[in-house]
Amino acid sequence: MDKSKLGLIHIYTGDGKGKTTAALGLILRASGRGLHVVLGQFLKGRETGELHTLSLLPGVTVFRGKPLTKFSFQMNEQEKAEVLQSHNAFIQELASYCRQEETDLLVLDEVIGACGTHLLDGSLLIDFLKHKPEHLEVVMTGRNPSPELLELADYVSEICKRKHPFDKGIPAREGIEK
């Protein structure tokens, strides 16, 4: 495979279900073509079905940020400051790993949400994207990307919710939403 054609930036955004699912589909495709893939998950703490499957795929490495037990709006200022510090270190760890391990595809799941809730310093993400390895393809998921992220992106795909079972009180189901 000609890796010199890699290096673009993707955003999967919107209020609909499927942002992470789309990114996982790209991971599956990349692994099937022999690419080295890194998935970094922000704002997620519980176990999900895809984590087991990803561990079976060749060339795929998963990193998870500090598990969260609360939504950002439920945190006090000290908790937010701790998560911010942890996420800032996490993005730097991912960047360093990708440079050292010659990663082809980096998926930053919910990184946009982490920036939007001020649980990640967005300037660290922007700096990484501007100085990433030339052939590193980067995918970011989350709602409400900043204008700076939209400007840097080569792809922006918006997933729109028309209906969702959660609106009827149906919680996330194992094997479908988690």
Side-chain angles (χ1 to χ4, degrees):
M1 172 176 185
D2 183 3
K3 294 182 180 183
S4 69
K5 295 181 180 180
L6 298 176
L8 301 181
I9 297 173
H10 310 234
I11 291 177
Y12 299 146
T13 190
D15 62 358
K17 174 191 177 311
K19 297 176 287 294
T20 297
T21 304
L24 292 170
L26 190 52
I27 289 172
L28 183 64
R29 178 177 288 157
S31 173
R33 293 294 187 179
L35 298 180
H36 294 103
V37 179
V38 170
L39 168 63
Q41 287 192 313
F42 293 79
L43 303 179
K44 294 187 175 179
R46 65 181 178 194
E47 288 298 312
T48 60
E50 65 265 17
L51 293 175
H52 173 71
T53 303
L54 288 171
S55 72
L56 302 174
L57 293 176
V60 176
T61 304
V62 177
F63 292 94
R64 301 188 86 200
K66 179 181 178 181
L68 300 183
T69 57
K70 298 178 180 178
F71 291 107
S72 61
F73 60 85
Q74 297 170 317
M75 293 178 192
N76 63 37
E77 292 307 311
Q78 180 182 346
E79 291 168 325
K80 288 179 184 177
E82 289 171 4
V83 173
L84 173 66
Q85 182 179 10
S86 173
H87 279 160
N88 288 348
F90 185 47
I91 193 71
Q92 292 173 329
E93 174 189 352
L94 289 167
S96 176
Y97 182 89
C98 288
R99 286 186 183 99
Q100 292 172 4
E101 298 301 322
E102 298 183 22
T103 304
D104 301 310
L105 173 65
L106 171 62
V107 174
L108 299 170
D109 188 30
E110 284 301 336
V111 73
I112 297 170
C115 290
T117 55
H118 307 289
L119 297 177
L120 173 65
D121 182 346
S123 66
L124 291 175
L125 176 60
I126 297 289
D127 184 63
F128 167 69
L129 293 171
K130 287 181 176 180
H131 300 99
K132 70 178 183 57
E134 185 178 346
H135 301 300
L136 178 64
E137 198 90 0
V138 178
V139 174
M140 298 175 286
T141 70
R143 296 175 185 211
N144 305 315
S146 69
E148 295 88 357
L149 287 178
L150 291 171
E151 179 66 29
L152 287 171
D154 298 291
Y155 295 86
V156 178
S157 297
E158 187 166 357
I159 298 169
C160 175
K161 179 187 87 156
R162 304 236 183 222
K163 288 175 82 173
H164 195 290
F166 189 76
D167 298 334
K168 294 191 257 182
I170 300 171
R173 299 161 298 146
E174 205 168 297
I176 305 300
E177 290 90 13
K178 62 179 183 175

